[in-house]
């Protein structure tokens, strides 16, 4: 009954797509448990590079069942466009996709509302991906959201759209006429008709798969430091990106989970605003961005780059219960020396080994670094630990030691086989 959760251990963009794709080699089911079309998981298979926003990364593995849980927010047009793009890339999806009827729907008025609210925040804006994830989750928690199941019932959908329209009028200004219920009803009833063949009780299906002894992967979007509760609030996403959120997001209990694996880059990046103690603001930060192609797969925005942050990694290990860590993009560090690792913070003159719970204190945190020798030669051809330069081995050993969790694999390139396995984390 192996059920494995895969989470990001930083601010997202850690390379979870490749890792889930690798692990899915021995999985029968992969389920996405939170987030929406703001995610961007890039997977390279042969000559094909596929960017997944809503679909689980198991979509590129033939025969793997792919589910979107109740914790996901679904933008129907984006969903169908992505299905078409994946199939054009040579990965048939017929009979392999399932969508929870309890997943909430992102509507055009959510995007309008997000633009208005971000503009009103000015310099305090969050720096969202612009996919209206926050307003959709806010409707969900406010108990006024519209779910996928509602798209199949014309009168129910009409009534709920009318209620949302009246609530939108006033506080944020008059919404554009093309967001009125009459303008949205027919389009979204059509989406409901097209979604009906995909509907699946994700909780029951996962429970049955585990009872049959099948391997299940639960895939998250974003990362621990963007989690609504455990991230750098308020500069976070609007859902629970940690391992605990996986259970609520697909309808499984904690006793069904067999392992939790975290994914982290060999350095750190984040998109949008918010504290980032190890950020390199110019020079080397620009170099890392170009070497690592650090531009958002969803938005195209340049990512902020910095050194590996061990206290933040320890935080991710603790709140997720991580048992193993996959490190990605080690190859990006080729030719850089020294390599710096933040081992602690200095906050108000006092050294602290852990990430502060008070985010205003975290904003004042200064990194306490230790330096490690880099390496000069290319490592993208390495497939075994012994083939990595000794300096790379020492750097990775120290990341593992400071994070407090063993490494299971190291990615040295974007391709599937550009991977060094230290211990096989794939389910059997």
């Amino acid at each position: 009954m192996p059920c494995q959760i895969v989470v990001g251990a930083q601010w997202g963009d850690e390379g979870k797509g490749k890792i889930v794709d690798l692990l899915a080699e021995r999985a029968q089911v992969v389920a996405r448990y939170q987030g929406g079309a703001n995610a961007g998981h890039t997977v390279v298979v042969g000559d094909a590079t596929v960017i997944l926003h809503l679909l689980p990364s198991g979509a590129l593995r033939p025969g793997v069942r792919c589910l979107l849980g109740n914790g996901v927010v679904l933008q129907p047009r984006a969903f169908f466009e992505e299905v078409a793009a994946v199939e054009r890339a040579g990965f048939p999806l017929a009979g392999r996709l399932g969508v929870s009827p309890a997943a909430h729907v992102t509507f055009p008025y959510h995007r309008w509302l997000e633009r208005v609210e971000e503009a009103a925040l000015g310099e305090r804006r969050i720096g969202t991906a612009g996919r209206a994830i926050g307003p959709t989750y806010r409707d969900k928690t406010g108990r006024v959201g519209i779910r996928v199941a509602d798209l199949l019932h014309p009168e129910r959908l009409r009534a709920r759209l009318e209620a949302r329209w009246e609530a939108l009028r006033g506080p944020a200004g008059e919404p554009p006429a093309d967001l009125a219920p009459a303008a949205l009803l027919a389009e979204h009833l059509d989406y409901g008709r097209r979604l009906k063949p995909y509907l699946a009780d994700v909780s029951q299906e996962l429970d049955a798969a585990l009872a049959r002894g099948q391997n299940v992967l639960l895939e998250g979007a974003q990362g621990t430091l963007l989690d609504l509760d455990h991230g750098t609030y308020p500069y976070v996403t609007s859902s629970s990106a940690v391992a605990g959120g996986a259970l609520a997001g697909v309808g499984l209990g904690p006793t069904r989970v067999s392992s939790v694996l975290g994914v982290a880059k060999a350095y750190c990046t984040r998109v949008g605003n918010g504290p980032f103690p190890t950020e390199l603001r110019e020079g080397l930060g620009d170099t890392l961005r170009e070497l690592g192609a650090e531009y958002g797969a969803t938005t195209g925005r340049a990512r902020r780059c910095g050194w590996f942050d061990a206290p933040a990694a320890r935080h991710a290990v603790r709140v997720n219960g991580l048992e193993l860590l996959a490190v990605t993009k080690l190859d990006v560090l080729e030719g850089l020396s020294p390599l710096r690792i933040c081992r602690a913070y200095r906050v108000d003159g006092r050294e602290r080994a852990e990430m502060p719970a008070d985010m205003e204190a975290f904003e004042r945190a200064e990194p306490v670094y230790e330096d490690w020798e880099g390496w000069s030669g290319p490592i993208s051809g390495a497939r075994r630990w012994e083939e990595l330069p000794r300096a790379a081995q020492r750097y990775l050993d120290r990341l593992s030691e400071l994070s407090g969790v063993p490494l299971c694999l190291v990615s040295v390139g974007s391709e599937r086989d550009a991977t060094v396995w230290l211990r096989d984390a794939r389910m059997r």
Side-chain angles (χ1 to χ4, degrees), residues 257-280:
V257 177
S258 53
S259 64
V260 185
L261 184 148
V263 185
K265 282 177 181 164
Y267 51 98
C268 278
T269 65
R270 81 170 296 174
V271 174
N273 298 330
F276 184 4
T278 67
E279 182 176 9
L280 296 164

Side-chain angles (χ1 to χ4, degrees), residues 84-102:
V86 169
E87 293 193 324
R88 281 196 306 270
F91 304 96
L93 294 169
R96 294 207 290 126
L97 285 183
V99 177
S100 171

Side-chain angles (χ1 to χ4, degrees), residues 19-235:
I19 304 307
V20 172
D21 173 69
L22 287 171
L23 298 174
E25 180 183 9
R26 294 179 186 161
Q28 285 74 53
V29 186
V30 180
R32 177 80 180 273
Y33 61 83
Q34 50 79 228
N38 57 335
H41 291 178
T42 302
V43 183
V44 179
V45 182
D47 295 330
T49 298
V50 182
I51 299 175
L52 301 170
H53 301 286
L54 275 164
L55 302 186
S57 299
L60 307 188
R61 290 285 183 179
V64 173
R65 176 74 165 159
C66 296
L67 302 173
L68 298 180
N70 55 275
V72 172
V73 294
L74 184 80
Q75 206 288 321
R77 179 181 296 177
F79 172 80
F80 289 114
E81 288 176 349
E82 189 168 323
V83 168
V86 169
E87 293 193 324
R88 281 196 306 270
F91 304 96
L93 294 169
R96 294 207 290 126
L97 285 183
V99 177
S100 171
H104 279 249
V105 178
T106 297
F107 283 85
Y109 57 75
H110 289 124
R111 299 190 74 163
W112 169 78
L113 188 59
E114 183 175 61
R115 288 194 299 271
V116 171
E117 292 175 341
E118 279 281 276
L121 286 170
E123 293 183 356
R124 297 180 294 111
R125 65 186 182 279
I126 304 301
T128 71
R131 298 302 176 98
I133 304 303
T136 309
Y137 277 115
R138 190 164 67 238
D139 276 5
K140 175 180 178 176
T141 57
R143 294 169 294 181
V144 293
I146 298 175
R147 306 204 289 185
V148 168
D150 299 327
L151 303 185
L152 278 64
H153 302 278
E155 292 309 313
R156 182 196 304 175
L157 180 59
R158 183 194 308 275
R160 294 186 178 180
L161 284 172
E162 288 175 350
R164 295 308 300 130
W165 172 254
E166 290 305 317
L168 285 173
R169 300 176 71 181
E174 187 71 16
D178 61 357
L179 302 182
L184 299 179
L185 183 62
E187 177 186 8
H188 285 81
L189 286 173
D190 184 59
Y191 286 142
R193 177 187 60 78
R194 294 170 62 190
L195 280 166
K196 187 174 181 179
Y198 294 99
L199 297 190
D201 188 320
V202 171
S203 174
Q204 287 190 17
E205 188 167 334
L206 291 176
D207 183 72
L210 291 170
R212 291 192 298 269
Q214 292 186 323
N215 295 331
V216 171
L217 276 174
L218 304 183
E219 176 185 8
Q222 291 82 47
T224 300
L225 301 179
L226 292 176
D227 181 82
L228 185 60
D229 289 296
H230 301 288
T232 53
Y233 190 90
Y235 300 99

